[in-house]
Amino acid sequence: MADFKQRMSPEDGAKAVEKLAADALAGFKADAKKEYAELVKQYEGASATVGVFGMGSVEVSVLSGEVHINPGAKRMGEQRGVGAISPEALVAISEGKMTVLDAFHRGEIVVRAGSEALHEGYDSFLKNSEAALKSNRLQKTLAEFRKMADV
């Protein structure tokens, strides 16, 4: 497994991950309306803890037809899983230099969830990755993340 450094204080890291998640969500919602609506329908009533190694984590919940980014891991809805990714893997995957499975096998993505939720999440990732890559807003968020995480 890779050795991950603490990139910022836990408080600053949590705020950075929360802002990153909110910006990415807003970009995806605006630039990929159809895909966003399908994800919301698919995950209604569910939540997951999502983190970036060396930075922090947030709770992401889908309730009443909207995605909510909950700071401080305030859980809303049925917990479907917990996952974290290294900043380097996040950038490499977004640039097409690494696959999710490569990152998982290298220990740069760690996920704890039931088998069904894992397969569903991976399928959703594959299904929506093209829309995410085409989103100008998501690409802007990724560029900001690269600077913030020094990747």
Side-chain angles (χ1 to χ4, degrees):
M1 183 183 260
D3 185 27
F4 302 108
K5 68 179 180 176
Q6 187 67 31
R7 290 175 168 1
M8 51 189 69
S9 74
E11 297 81 20
D12 290 344
K15 288 177 185 174
V17 172
E18 180 183 348
K19 181 181 180 334
L20 173 70
D23 290 350
L25 174 63
F28 191 71
K29 184 178 180 179
D31 293 347
K33 291 176 177 60
K34 177 183 172 196
E35 292 85 352
Y36 174 84
E38 289 174 4
L39 279 174
V40 167
K41 184 177 178 183
Q42 179 179 0
Y43 288 104
E44 179 65 39
S47 70
T49 305
V50 181
V52 179
F53 291 126
M55 294 177 72
S57 64
V58 294
E59 189 74 16
V60 179
S61 303
V62 182
L63 295 169
S64 303
E66 286 294 327
V67 179
H68 303 274
I69 307 296
N70 307 313
K74 181 181 174 187
R75 185 173 301 148
M76 299 165 54
E78 175 194 353
Q79 177 75 12
R80 296 288 302 270
V82 176
I85 187 169
S86 74
E88 295 81 5
L90 192 152
V91 170
I93 290 167
S94 70
E95 294 174 344
K97 296 178 181 175
M98 180 187 299
T99 68
V100 172
L101 287 177
D102 289 337
F104 177 78
H105 288 294
R106 291 175 54 161
E108 296 197 39
I109 292 179
V110 176
V111 181
R112 294 190 64 135
S115 180
E116 183 178 327
L118 284 174
H119 290 289
E120 184 179 39
Y122 183 69
D123 287 345
S124 291
F125 175 83
L126 292 177
K127 182 179 176 184
N128 294 297
S129 60
E130 186 175 334
L133 288 173
K134 290 180 180 179
S135 168
N136 290 329
R137 293 178 193 201
L138 280 177
Q139 292 307 311
K140 181 181 174 192
T141 299
L142 183 62
E144 291 172 9
F145 175 75
R146 280 188 193 101
K147 289 179 194 172
M148 175 187 5
D150 194 27
V151 177

